[in-house]
């Protein structure tokens, strides 16, 4: 983990400050979760974060989604649900898995 962190610093990517709620969302995504979304008029109106077990995480709001997306910690490819990026996986603090 430290090696990857140093590699990111070498190529010019600096670590970002992430709030507790955003950390929780990233941690769920790092464990295999995904963020599904609904669009209206081309804009994302609703997001739901699903854990690997299929439960819904209530901490994932539109504001948290926008913050994570703007920091490029999550991404979507070819219309699929949003998942954590490599930068997001490095940025999330490790913690013991907690049941929700």
């Amino acid at each position: 983990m430290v090696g990857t962190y140093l590699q990111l610093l070498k190529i010019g990517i600096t670590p970002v400050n992430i709030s507790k709620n955003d950390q929780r969302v990233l941690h769920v995504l790092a464990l295999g979760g995904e963020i599904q979304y609904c669009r209206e008029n081309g804009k994302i109106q609703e997001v739901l974060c699903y854990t690997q077990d299929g439960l819904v995480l209530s901490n994932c709001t539109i504001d948290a989604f926008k913050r994570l997306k703007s920091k490029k910690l999550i991404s979507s490819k070819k219309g699929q649900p949003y998942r954590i990026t490599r930068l997001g996986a490095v940025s999330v603090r490790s913690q013991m898995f907690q049941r929700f």
Side-chain angles (χ1 to χ4, degrees), residues 36-48 62 65-66 69 82:
Q36 295 186 0
Y37 56 93
C38 294
R39 289 186 184 266
E40 287 184 22
N41 299 326
K43 293 187 178 183
I44 295 177
Q45 298 295 323
E46 182 182 359
V47 294
L48 289 173
I62 291 282
F65 171 78
K66 288 180 181 179
K69 188 177 172 190
Y82 279 83

Side-chain angles (χ1 to χ4, degrees), residues 29-73:
L29 295 177
L31 292 173
E34 63 184 27
I35 297 177
Q36 295 186 0
Y37 56 93
C38 294
R39 289 186 184 266
E40 287 184 22
N41 299 326
K43 293 187 178 183
I44 295 177
Q45 298 295 323
E46 182 182 359
V47 294
L48 289 173
C49 181
Y50 289 97
T51 65
Q52 185 178 12
D53 300 329
L55 303 173
V56 176
L57 181 69
S58 62
N59 291 347
C60 188
T61 62
I62 291 282
D63 295 331
F65 171 78
K66 288 180 181 179
R67 281 192 303 272
L68 293 173
K69 188 177 172 190
S70 69
K71 293 178 184 178
K72 298 183 180 174
L73 301 175

Side-chain angles (χ1 to χ4, degrees), residues 18-33:
I18 305 170
S19 69
K20 276 187 180 180
N21 283 338
D22 295 351
Q23 283 282 334
R24 286 186 186 112
V25 172
L26 281 177
H27 193 254
V28 167
L29 295 177
L31 292 173

